Amino acid sequence: MFDLDGKVCVITGGAGSLGLAAARLLHQQGARLALIDLDLAALDTATEAAFGAKSGDILRLAADVSDEAQVRRAVERTAKVYGGIDVLFSNAGIFGTVAALEDYPTEVFDKVMSVHVRGAFLMAKHVVPHMKNGGSMVLTSSVAATRGDPGVYAYITAKHALTGLMRVLAKDLAPRGIRVNAIAPGPIDNGFQKRVEDGLGEAIGRDGTEFFDEMIPMGRHGSAEEIAASVLYLASAQSGFTTGHLLMADGGMSV
Ligand SMILES: NC(=O)c1ccc[n+]([C@@H]2O[C@H](COP(=O)([O-])OP(=O)(O)OC[C@H]3O[C@@H](n4cnc5c(N)ncnc54)[C@H](O)[C@@H]3O)[C@@H](O)[C@H]2O)c1
C-alpha cells in the first residue's frame, strides 16, 4: 500500500531517533536511502545497528544542514549516486534551551534558528533541482509549532517558522506535482525529549516526563515508530492530494 519501491529518499538527522526510525520504515517499503547527519562515525554506528548486514546499501553523508557548501556537496553526491531524488525528509534538529527572555542566550537562539529554518531552507533549495516531478518533501515540525510555552524562545519560534517555509514551498512546487507537508510530533519517548524533561524536572521540582504526560490527552508519549508511520504516509502516493498540511502526531496535545 505504501510502496516506495526504488524511490530515493534523503533524510537529515539520519543518525537520530526519528530520522533512523523513518529510514528503517522507508527502507522496508523499498526506498533507497541517503542519510545526512553531522558526524560520519555516528551515522555508521546508527545505520549498522539499525540495518545490520544491509547497512552497506545506505548512502551516509556528513553535513551540517546550516552550511550551504556542505549541503550542496551532500545533495550533489546523492543525486550523482542515485540519479535523482524523490523524497526529502528534512528532520535535523536541536532543542536549544529554556530561559527567561532577558537571560536567553542570543547565540543559542541563532544556532537553533539556523539548524531548523536555514537548514530546511538550504536542503529544499539544493534538493529541489534534483527532485523528480511528483516528489514529496516532509519537514519535521513539532507540537511546539502550535504553542507558546514560557522561555522556549528559539525552539518554538523555529518550529513556527517551518510552517511558513512549508507553505511557500507547497505552493511553489505544486505545479510540478511535488508535495510539501510537515509532521508535528508531540513528546516522543526518546533521548531528545528526555533531555528536555530532565531539565524541566529540575526547574519545576517534579518529574518532567509525568508533567508532559498530563498535558497529552492520550496520556502518554509517542514512539519514533509512530512518527515514522506518518512520515511514510506523507512520503507516499497515499497522500497524493495532500500538500501544505501540518500533520499533528501529538496524542491530542495541540487540541
Ligand atoms: N523527540 C521529540 O519528542 C520531538 C518532538 C517533536 C519534534 N521533534 C523534532 O524531531 C526532529 C528529530 O529529533 P529526534 O527526536 O530524532 O532527536 P535526535 O537528537 O535523536 O536527532 C536529531 C539529529 O539531528 C542531527 N543534527 C543536529 N544538528 C544538525 C545539523 N546542523 N546538521 C545535520 N544534522 C544535525 C543530530 O546529530 C541528531 O542525529 C527534530 O527536528 C526535533 O526538533 C522531536
Side-chain angles (χ1 to χ4, degrees):
M1 185 177 179
F2 293 103
D3 191 10
L4 289 179
D5 206 25
K7 300 282 187 199
V8 177
C9 303
V10 177
I11 299 178
T12 70
S17 164
L18 301 190
L20 206 54
R24 225 184 275 120
L25 189 57
L26 299 185
H27 189 260
Q28 280 166 15
Q29 302 301 317
R32 293 179 289 164
L33 298 175
L35 305 188
I36 295 176
D37 210 299
L38 287 170
D39 178 47
L40 203 51
L43 266 173
D44 285 344
T45 307
T47 43
E48 275 152 28
F51 294 96
K54 290 198 170 144
S55 60
D57 299 350
I58 291 151
L59 185 59
R60 300 159 232 177
L61 301 152
D64 177 340
V65 293
S66 64
D67 181 311
E68 185 153 20
Q70 292 184 30
V71 166
R72 185 188 296 113
R73 245 195 326 270
V75 170
E76 280 175 1
R77 172 116 172 85
T78 303
K80 195 164 178 207
V81 169
Y82 290 126
I85 294 170
D86 298 282
V87 172
L88 169 62
F89 180 33
S90 206
N91 164 75
I94 55 173
F95 181 72
T97 191
V98 182
L101 179 57
E102 62 275 21
D103 299 327
Y104 203 100
T106 305
E107 61 280 8
V108 173
F109 186 87
D110 288 344
K111 176 77 184 163
V112 172
M113 292 297 285
S114 169
V115 173
H116 290 276
V117 185
R118 182 183 159 93
F121 167 74
L122 289 176
M123 285 304 301
K125 180 178 173 187
H126 290 281
V127 163
V128 164
H130 299 284
M131 193 173 253
K132 297 177 193 157
N133 290 351
S136 170
M137 200 184 297
V138 182
L139 312 184
T140 303
S141 180
S142 165
V143 67
T146 67
R147 299 177 59 90
D149 298 307
V152 192
Y153 283 102
Y155 190 72
I156 284 185
T157 306
K159 292 304 193 186
H160 275 74
L162 284 180
T163 305
L165 176 64
M166 179 268 287
R167 288 185 171 139
V168 177
L169 287 166
K171 224 170 211 178
D172 257 355
L173 300 175
R176 286 184 53 197
I178 295 174
R179 300 176 301 103
V180 185
N181 295 287
I183 169 90
I188 301 304
D189 185 9
N190 71 9
F192 181 101
Q193 179 66 14
K194 177 85 171 60
R195 285 189 292 279
V196 174
E197 289 167 2
D198 287 349
L200 175 74
E202 256 175 51
I204 62 174
R206 57 169 295 205
D207 187 277
T209 303
E210 276 175 23
F211 178 84
F212 269 95
D213 277 342
E214 285 168 16
M215 290 198 293
I216 304 167
M218 287 182 75
R220 66 169 177 89
H221 286 44
S223 70
E225 289 70 28
E226 286 174 307
I227 303 309
S230 295
V231 174
L232 173 60
Y233 167 68
L234 292 174
S236 79
Q238 296 304 313
S239 59
F241 201 46
T242 298
T243 195
H245 180 62
L246 179 63
L247 178 64
M248 305 310 301
D250 66 346
M253 190 170 166
S254 56
V255 172

